[in-house]
Amino acid sequence: MERTLVIVKPDGIKRGLIGEVISRYERKGLKIVECRMIEADKATLEKHYIEHREKPFYEELVSYMMGGSIMVMIVEGNNAIKLVRNINGKTNPVDAEPGTIRGDFANTMTENIVHASDSVEAAEREISIWF
């Protein structure tokens, strides 16, 4: 069983898409094993997004993620990381296929509804940050 971290970002929460996001994972046979709604603090977000620290969008991203509630989840299943990322769609909603979460609901690179771990190592690191 593989585990991955998923975050429903503030735009997904504000738009009432938590149920839609979860149902897409569950319909694929994935299981939500833990979840909670939180207000993320700057220190935790800086730790989570450390690989982006030198990128021009970093400060905007951290600030955005502190702008509202987020839902953090551990999603489990066979090939969970790849399946979740396929369900989410490409990071840039312009490139995301219709039928994916981002293809159907996202508007911008920052406000793209969800975050998901991109590797086993990232999933382990990110889950340890949030849980």
Side-chain angles (χ1 to χ4, degrees), residues 4-7 25 81 84-85 88 102 114-118 126:
T4 188
L5 180 86
V6 172
I7 300 174
Y25 301 146
I81 293 167
V84 165
R85 292 182 66 79
N88 290 352
R102 291 176 177 144
V114 288
H115 161 86
S117 307
D118 64 3
E126 293 174 356

Side-chain angles (χ1 to χ4, degrees), residues 89-106:
K90 293 184 180 177
T91 304
N92 187 338
V94 172
D95 299 325
E97 294 288 328
T100 64
I101 292 169
R102 291 176 177 144
D104 290 349
F105 302 109

Side-chain angles (χ1 to χ4, degrees), residues 23 28 39 67 73-74 81 83 90 105 111 117 123:
S23 69
K28 193 67 172 178
E39 300 284 328
M73 298 182 274
I74 300 172
I81 293 167
L83 286 173
K90 293 184 180 177
F105 302 109
E111 295 185 27
S117 307

Side-chain angles (χ1 to χ4, degrees), residues 37-108:
M37 181 95 68
I38 62 168
E39 300 284 328
D41 62 77
K42 188 171 185 175
T44 304
L45 288 164
E46 287 176 340
K47 193 173 185 182
H48 177 83
Y49 287 117
I50 192 144
E51 71 274 10
H52 299 306
R53 180 170 288 186
E54 301 303 320
K55 296 179 181 167
F57 60 84
Y58 175 78
E59 290 297 329
E60 176 188 358
L61 177 59
V62 170
S63 176
Y64 165 70
M65 292 292 287
M66 291 182 351
S69 297
I70 62 172
M71 173 76 74
V72 291
M73 298 182 274
I74 300 172
V75 179
E76 182 180 83
N78 291 323
N79 301 303
I81 293 167
K82 185 166 181 143
L83 286 173
V84 165
R85 292 182 66 79
N86 286 342
I87 292 165
N88 290 352
K90 293 184 180 177
T91 304
N92 187 338
V94 172
D95 299 325
E97 294 288 328
T100 64
I101 292 169
R102 291 176 177 144
D104 290 349
F105 302 109
N107 296 310
T108 70

